[in-house]
Amino acid sequence: MMSLIQEWVDLSSLNTFHLPVKARYFLEINHPEDFWPVKSTDKYLILGGGSNILLTRDFPGTVLKVNSRGIDICEETENTVTLAIAAGENWHEVVKFCIDHNFGGIENLSLIPGTIGAAPLQNIGAYGVEFEQVFKQLMAINLYTGEKVYFSKQDCQFSYRHSIFKQPEYKHFLISKIWITLTKHSHTFNIEYGAIRSQLQKMKIKDLSLRAISDAVIQIRQEKLPDPAQLGNAGSFFKNPIITRNHYQSLLHQYPQLPHYPVADHTQVKIPAAWLIEQNGLKGWREGNCGIHKEHALVLVNYGGANGQEIWNLAQMVIASIKKQFQVELTPEVNVY
Ligand code: FAD
Ligand code: NAP
C-alpha cells in the first residue's frame, strides 16, 4: 500500500486556479472504506475536483485525492428514488445521470464543477436550489480511527453555503458515500430564479422538463462564467453577506439601489457581494497576474503565472475595501490552505 504514495506531486492540474503548488505526499483513494487511520498530528488535505480551494503554498503533508466511483439506485417508492453515490463521482455527471433517468431535484445545479463528496461541505447551491433539499444521509470515514460514521441531514447542520464539515473539528471526516432522494414523477420545476425563465423563452422551450431546465442553466452559466479550463478561477470567491435589517436600512439611505433578498430569519437580509464589489469600482481590477473578472465581480481569476499568495492578498484587499466603504465583512467561500 505504502508504494502507492507519491512524493512532491504537482497539483496545478488538480486545482481550478491552476496554482503550481506541490504536495509533499499524495495518495489517490479509490476505496475510502479501506483507508487506514492517520495520526491526529499528521497534516492532510482531502481533495475532490479542486474547484473550491485556494492553495497558497506547497502542502507539507499528504493530499488524499478521492477517486471512488459508483452510482446505485438503492431504494424506490412510487414517487421517489434514492441513489447511493460514491464521493469521487463528478457532480455534473450525477446531474446528467438523473436527467437521463428523469429523476428530479438537482437540474438547477447543472454544471457546478467538482465531486459529489464535496457537495455537502458548503451545501452547494445555485438558481434557487440547495443540495440539502435532496440530501438523505452520508457516510464519512473518521481518518483518526478508520471508523465509518453516518450523518443525517440534521447532523450536517446545513445552512447557506455551510455545513458542519466546514468546522475545523470535523476536518478529519472524509465523506465517502452520499444518499440523495429525488422525484420520479410530479417534479417541482423551479424556474423563477434569475434568468431561467427568460432563457427558456429565448430557447423557445414551451414544454418544461428536467432536461430543458438543465439546458437553460448550462446555457446561462456558459455565457456568464469564465471556464476554469481557459482562465483559472474557483467560482464565487466570497459568500453573499447576510446582514441585520437595521444595517441594511442604514446602507439604503446612502445606496438606494442596494439589492437585497430576505432570509428565513426576518431580522436579516442577504445582499449580493458582487454588487458591493462593483460599486466599489473593483470589478475588472487587475493586479499583476491575478484580478477580478471583468464580467463577474465575485470571481477572482489567475490570468496565468499567479501564485496562491497573490490571489489571497487580492482577496484581502477586496475584504478591507468593502469593509471600509460599507462596513460589511465579506467572508471567503473558497477554502484557503
Ligand atoms: P474541492 O475544491 O476539491 O474541495 C473543497 C473543500 O471540500 C476542501 O476543503 C476539501 O478538503 C473538502 N473536500 C473535498 N472532498 C471531500 C470529501 N470527500 N470529504 C471531505 N471533505 C472533502 N459552488 C456552488 O455552491 N454553486 C455554484 O453554482 C458553483 N459554481 C461554480 C462555478 C465555477 C466555475 C467554479 C470553479 C466553482 C463553482 N462552485 C460553485 C464551487 C465548487 O464547484 C463547489 O463548491 C464544489 O462542490 C467543490 O467540489 P470539489 O470536489 O472541487 O471540492
Ligand atoms: P445572479 O443571478 O446574477 O444573482 C446575483 C446574486 O443575487 C446571487 O449571488 C444570488 O444569491 C442573489 N439572488 C438573485 N436572485 C435571487 C433570488 N430570487 N433569491 C435570492 N437570492 C437571489 O447570480 P450569478 O452570479 O449569475 O449566479 C447564479 C447562481 O449560480 C446563483 O445562485 C449563484 O450562487 C450560483 N453560482 C455560484 C457560484 C459559486 O462558486 N458558488 C459560481 C457561479 C454561480 P445566491 O448566490 O445566494 O443564489
Side-chain angles (χ1 to χ4, degrees):
M1 267 304 239
M2 289 307 281
S3 61
L4 296 176
I5 295 183
Q6 301 171 59
E7 294 193 51
W8 295 116
V9 170
D10 175 20
L11 300 177
S12 49
S13 63
L14 299 177
N15 73 93
T16 58
F17 267 123
H18 306 305
L19 298 165
V21 295
K22 290 193 169 60
R24 177 67 188 89
Y25 300 104
F26 181 87
L27 181 63
E28 293 194 51
I29 301 193
N30 297 317
H31 304 285
E33 293 82 357
D34 300 339
F35 187 71
W36 66 92
V38 298
K39 288 200 236 62
S40 59
T41 47
D42 289 347
K43 284 190 167 48
Y44 51 84
L45 162 63
I46 303 167
L47 184 64
S51 65
N52 205 16
I53 52 168
L54 174 66
L55 300 164
T56 56
R57 60 191 176 123
D58 286 346
F59 189 74
T62 308
V63 170
L64 305 171
K65 170 86 176 84
V66 182
N67 274 348
S68 50
R69 292 285 188 274
I71 305 180
D72 295 314
I73 296 176
C74 66
E75 200 182 300
E76 284 194 67
T77 67
E78 200 186 323
N79 293 320
T80 66
V81 59
T82 298
L83 307 180
I85 310 170
E89 284 287 343
N90 174 275
W91 172 262
H92 186 60
E93 292 301 320
V94 174
V95 175
K96 287 202 293 191
F97 175 94
C98 292
I99 286 162
D100 288 346
H101 288 77
N102 196 34
F103 298 155
I106 55 174
E107 53 287 349
N108 290 48
L109 303 179
S110 294
L111 216 62
I112 297 180
T115 56
I116 186 159
L121 257 287
Q122 69 161 17
N123 183 22
I124 56 169
Y127 298 99
V129 172
E130 287 184 319
F131 178 70
E132 66 171 301
Q133 291 169 240
V134 296
F135 178 85
K136 186 171 183 202
Q137 67 166 359
L138 65 77
M139 182 174 82
I141 310 299
N142 179 335
L143 292 179
Y144 297 159
T145 61
E147 184 194 3
K148 290 178 192 166
V149 186
Y150 289 85
F151 288 78
S152 67
K153 191 190 248 191
Q154 205 180 2
D155 296 333
C156 292
Q157 296 178 20
F158 291 120
S159 60
Y160 176 63
R161 302 290 190 272
H162 193 75
S163 74
I164 200 167
F165 300 102
K166 282 213 132 185
Q167 295 175 13
E169 55 282 20
Y170 284 81
K171 291 281 178 202
H172 61 289
F173 284 100
L174 186 151
I175 296 166
S176 65
K177 195 179 265 191
I178 292 179
W179 285 259
I180 59 175
T181 300
L182 303 146
T183 49
K184 291 200 296 189
H185 330 276
S186 323
H187 307 302
T188 307
F189 296 125
N190 193 334
I191 62 164
E192 297 313 325
Y193 193 103
I196 300 185
R197 186 181 279 281
S198 58
Q199 184 62 39
L200 287 165
Q201 281 162 358
K202 231 193 267 177
M203 292 162 78
K204 300 197 186 330
I205 291 169
K206 289 199 185 75
D207 295 328
L208 271 188
S209 66
L210 303 177
R211 192 174 301 282
I213 294 175
S214 173
D215 287 346
V217 169
I218 289 172
Q219 192 67 33
I220 301 169
R221 292 183 75 104
Q222 284 175 336
E223 282 170 18
K224 214 170 169 182
L225 288 168
D227 176 0
Q230 315 291 330
L231 188 62
N233 76 87
S236 303
F237 198 91
F238 303 104
K239 289 191 213 179
N240 288 322
I242 293 176
I243 61 172
T244 64
R245 222 163 237 291
N246 287 346
H247 189 176
Y248 167 69
Q249 291 298 348
S250 70
L251 285 172
L252 206 57
H253 286 302
Q254 227 180 327
Y255 307 99
Q257 310 297 326
L258 177 64
H260 77 289
Y261 301 97
V263 290
D265 171 0
H266 292 294
T267 61
Q268 297 186 305
V269 293
K270 182 181 79 177
I271 51 174
W275 190 90
L276 302 176
I277 295 170
E278 196 169 345
Q279 287 295 305
N280 195 256
L282 286 171
K283 191 174 178 182
W285 178 274
R286 181 167 177 163
E287 213 162 83
N289 293 323
C290 60
I292 297 162
H293 195 255
K294 57 182 184 333
E295 308 291 346
H296 205 304
L298 266 191
V299 181
L300 303 193
V301 294
N302 175 6
Y303 287 106
N307 64 44
Q309 192 57 50
E310 285 174 85
I311 294 174
W312 186 224
N313 292 345
L314 175 67
Q316 285 176 320
M317 183 277 278
V318 175
I319 292 171
S321 199
I322 297 302
K323 174 111 197 200
K324 192 164 173 218
Q325 185 174 352
F326 302 100
Q327 302 79 53
V328 171
E329 189 92 39
L330 290 185
T331 46
E333 181 181 299
V334 169
N335 301 276
V336 182
Y337 292 95

